[in-house]
Amino acid sequence: RSGLANPANAPELAMQIVSDPDKNLYAKSFVASRGIHTRVRARAIVLQTARGKFALVQADLGGVPYALTQEVLKRVEATGIDGDHLLLSATHTHSSTGPIWPSDSTGYALLGGDLFDPRIFDLTAQGIAEAIVRADERLEPARAGVGTVQVTDASSNRNFDPFRRNPDVPQDEAAARAASIDPDLTVLRVDSRDGQPLGVWSNFAIHPTSFGDGNLLFSGDNAAFAERIAERRISE
């Protein structure tokens, strides 16, 4: 979606940055989205333990700037969750909110986000904070467990040929391909006292770019589909 970095779009967008009456520079260095494939979300699990209260939060974003995390912490201060007890993680979808990168992250913004817009930054911080607050309001007695399985057919190494040049990589191609990915899928599951699942948190090394760089729709990509499938199964 990059505009300024794409020679075909650069001249038009360069003039837009200079002349657009919108002083907040919204959707300037990137091509604007044209619709919605899946709505982008933030989801939170809050755990009250003997060691304190923790929040695990995932957001359908390309990345999370430091300033955004600090703004979220301000908005959830009443929950008692501080920076040492918050894990805020982006799914890294390439089809989500762009202009959330302040001036100290302008280099990333120009190539991986968009020029900063305080309105979108505020909207994003508020959505993430609301997910944490709602989870905190719904605390109930529960049990948590962690499990790991291997998933070998859901990802690939997009730079396999350079990877094979590493001296510690097996010479056999099949073994090299197996070594080129991290197949571990780790899941934290939280159940109610009667054994009903309340929520899950997963970690898996995959790039949410299933729809390619030609996609101009807002989308959480493959991570959003995994989330929706899990939520549907939990609610059954």
Side-chain angles (χ1 to χ4, degrees), residues 16 20 27 57 60 90-91 95 99-100 104 121 141 145-146 150-151 188-190 192 207 214 222:
Q16 181 174 314
D20 196 306
V57 189
D60 290 330
T91 62
S95 306
I100 59 174
D104 60 351
F121 179 89
V146 179
Q150 290 200 334
V151 181
L188 167 71
R189 173 171 156 171
V190 182
S192 64
H207 211 157
N222 53 52

Side-chain angles (χ1 to χ4, degrees), residues 42 44 57 59 61 68 72 76 88 123-133:
V57 189
L61 294 172
L68 182 63
V72 169
V76 301
L88 173 54
L123 179 71
T124 305
Q126 185 59 28
I128 296 171
E130 286 179 4
I132 299 171
V133 171

Side-chain angles (χ1 to χ4, degrees), residues 97-142:
T97 305
I100 59 174
W101 299 87
S103 57
D104 60 351
S105 302
T106 298
Y108 181 89
L110 291 173
L111 293 177
D114 210 329
L115 294 182
F116 183 70
D117 186 324
R119 300 165 299 182
I120 309 302
F121 179 89
D122 181 76
L123 179 71
T124 305
Q126 185 59 28
I128 296 171
E130 286 179 4
I132 299 171
V133 171
R134 290 177 184 175
D136 184 62
E137 292 172 345
R138 298 171 61 187
L139 289 176
E140 63 177 88

Side-chain angles (χ1 to χ4, degrees), residues 3 19 38 48 61 99 109 126 161 165 182 188 198 209 216 218 232:
S19 62
T38 59
Q48 177 74 61
L61 294 172
Q126 185 59 28
D161 289 336
R165 297 180 188 147
D182 180 358
L188 167 71
L198 299 173
T209 55
L216 291 177
F218 275 99
R232 185 168 63 248

Side-chain angles (χ1 to χ4, degrees), residues 3-4 23-24 28 35 39 42 69 98 108 121 128 133 150-151 154 164 182 189 195 201-202 219:
L4 289 178
K23 302 302 182 182
N24 285 312
K28 295 300 178 60
R39 292 191 179 276
T69 300
Y108 181 89
F121 179 89
I128 296 171
V133 171
Q150 290 200 334
V151 181
R164 290 197 72 179
D182 180 358
R189 173 171 156 171
W201 170 274
S202 65
S219 177

Side-chain angles (χ1 to χ4, degrees), residues 31-215:
V31 178
S33 298
R34 297 177 182 172
I36 297 173
H37 175 256
T38 59
R39 292 191 179 276
V40 292
R41 296 174 169 176
R43 287 288 185 266
I45 295 177
V46 172
L47 303 172
Q48 177 74 61
T49 75
R51 296 178 60 186
K53 187 186 292 185
F54 299 83
L56 306 177
V57 189
Q58 72 94 59
D60 290 330
L61 294 172
V64 179
Y66 176 80
L68 182 63
T69 300
Q70 299 310 303
E71 183 62 30
V72 169
L73 285 169
K74 291 178 186 177
R75 298 180 187 222
V76 301
E77 186 175 3
T79 67
I81 298 169
D82 59 20
D84 291 332
H85 296 80
L86 169 67
L87 175 58
L88 173 54
S89 177
T91 62
H92 193 59
T93 173
H94 283 209
S95 306
S96 183
T97 305
I100 59 174
W101 299 87
S103 57
D104 60 351
S105 302
T106 298
Y108 181 89
L110 291 173
L111 293 177
D114 210 329
L115 294 182
F116 183 70
D117 186 324
R119 300 165 299 182
I120 309 302
F121 179 89
D122 181 76
L123 179 71
T124 305
Q126 185 59 28
I128 296 171
E130 286 179 4
I132 299 171
V133 171
R134 290 177 184 175
D136 184 62
E137 292 172 345
R138 298 171 61 187
L139 289 176
E140 63 177 88
R143 297 184 303 169
V146 179
T148 300
V149 297
Q150 290 200 334
V151 181
T152 59
D153 59 353
S155 56
S156 63
N157 190 318
R158 60 180 176 171
N159 287 312
F160 179 67
D161 289 336
F163 173 80
R164 290 197 72 179
R165 297 180 188 147
N166 291 310
D168 56 343
V169 174
Q171 294 299 308
D172 176 72
E173 181 169 347
R177 289 195 178 278
S180 70
I181 65 169
D182 180 358
D184 288 345
L185 167 63
T186 300
V187 175
L188 167 71
R189 173 171 156 171
V190 182
D191 288 357
S192 64
R193 279 184 169 175
D194 60 3
Q196 296 301 310
L198 299 173
V200 295
W201 170 274
S202 65
N203 182 62
F204 183 64
I206 192 169
H207 211 157
T209 55
S210 296
F211 300 103
D213 57 9
N215 175 46

